[in-house]
């Protein structure tokens, strides 16, 4: 019997809050699914990454994007709208992961074709469990678009 190696899932985390970045990285390091987590710190950097513009010329297209809303330079809702308007990027699932509980942000996210909207739980353990639940659902059960 031959064993086929598993190709890691490519995840782009767009997050400006350093503690949330660290916690997300730790949660994905413990993941049961092979993954490569890449981080950009704001919306401008995220779009450069997605379009493979300098300094991201060798970036891999992510299988899924975890997107914060409230960021400097370009917010997450702008990134989402830009991604979903771009034929080269519109197929990438985007999960909004944010502290915002505002109905307006939730509605705008879904109007711009977010795949899910998750409010970041308060506290280390709760946040960690939310990332693990994301992993279980998105990386174990969901069939992602082909690369």
């Amino acid at each position: 019997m031959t064993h086929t190696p598993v190709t890691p899932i490519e995840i782009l985390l767009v997050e400006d809050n350093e503690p949330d970045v660290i916690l997300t990285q730790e949660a994905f390091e413990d993941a049961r699914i092979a993954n490569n987590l890449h981080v950009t710190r704001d919306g401008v950097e995220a779009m450069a990454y997605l379009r493979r513009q300098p300094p991201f010329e060798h970036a891999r297209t992510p299988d899924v994007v975890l997107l914060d809303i409230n960021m400097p330079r370009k917010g997450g809702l702008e990134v989402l709208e830009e991604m979903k308007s771009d034929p080269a990027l519109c197929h990438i699932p985007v999960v909004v992961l944010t502290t915002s509980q505002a109905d307006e942000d939730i509605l705008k996210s879904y109007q711009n074709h977010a795949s899910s909207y998750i409010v970041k739980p308060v506290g280390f353990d709760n946040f960690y469990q939310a990332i693990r639940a994301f992993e279980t659902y998105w990386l174990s059960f969901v069939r992602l678009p082909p690369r």
Side-chain angles (χ1 to χ4, degrees):
M1 182 165 123
T2 59
H3 174 71
T4 306
V6 176
T7 303
I9 299 294
E10 299 291 329
I11 302 167
L12 175 61
L13 173 64
V14 186
E15 174 62 69
D16 65 319
N17 183 294
E18 188 62 24
D20 288 350
V21 169
I22 292 168
L23 186 54
T24 304
Q25 288 171 326
E26 289 175 2
F28 279 111
E29 284 173 8
D30 293 343
R32 294 175 297 273
I33 303 296
N35 68 84
N36 294 319
L37 181 67
H38 309 277
V39 179
T40 58
R41 306 297 176 151
D42 62 48
V44 171
E45 203 173 281
M47 292 311 300
Y49 181 97
L50 290 163
R51 292 185 172 135
R52 295 188 179 114
Q53 297 168 341
F56 304 106
E57 297 91 345
H58 302 292
R60 294 192 56 132
T61 300
D63 295 301
V64 64
V65 174
L66 280 172
L67 180 65
D68 188 19
I69 287 183
N70 301 310
M71 294 181 296
R73 299 202 300 163
K74 181 182 284 191
L77 291 174
E78 291 175 87
V79 171
L80 180 61
E81 186 174 354
E82 212 169 312
M83 284 182 68
K84 296 305 178 178
S85 298
D86 186 329
L89 304 174
C90 65
H91 70 282
I92 302 170
V94 178
V95 175
V96 175
L97 180 64
T98 185
T99 57
S100 175
Q101 297 184 44
D103 288 343
E104 182 179 344
D105 288 340
I106 296 167
L107 181 60
K108 283 182 182 177
S109 294
Y110 284 118
Q111 286 174 334
N112 284 301
H113 309 287
S115 300
S116 294
Y117 191 101
I118 301 171
V119 176
K120 292 178 189 172
V122 176
F124 175 85
D125 290 335
N126 291 335
F127 187 83
Y128 186 84
Q129 290 303 317
I131 295 299
R132 296 309 297 257
F134 166 87
E135 174 209 346
T136 299
Y137 177 72
W138 279 98
L139 307 184
S140 296
F141 295 115
V142 171
R143 182 83 189 258
L144 296 167
R147 291 186 186 154

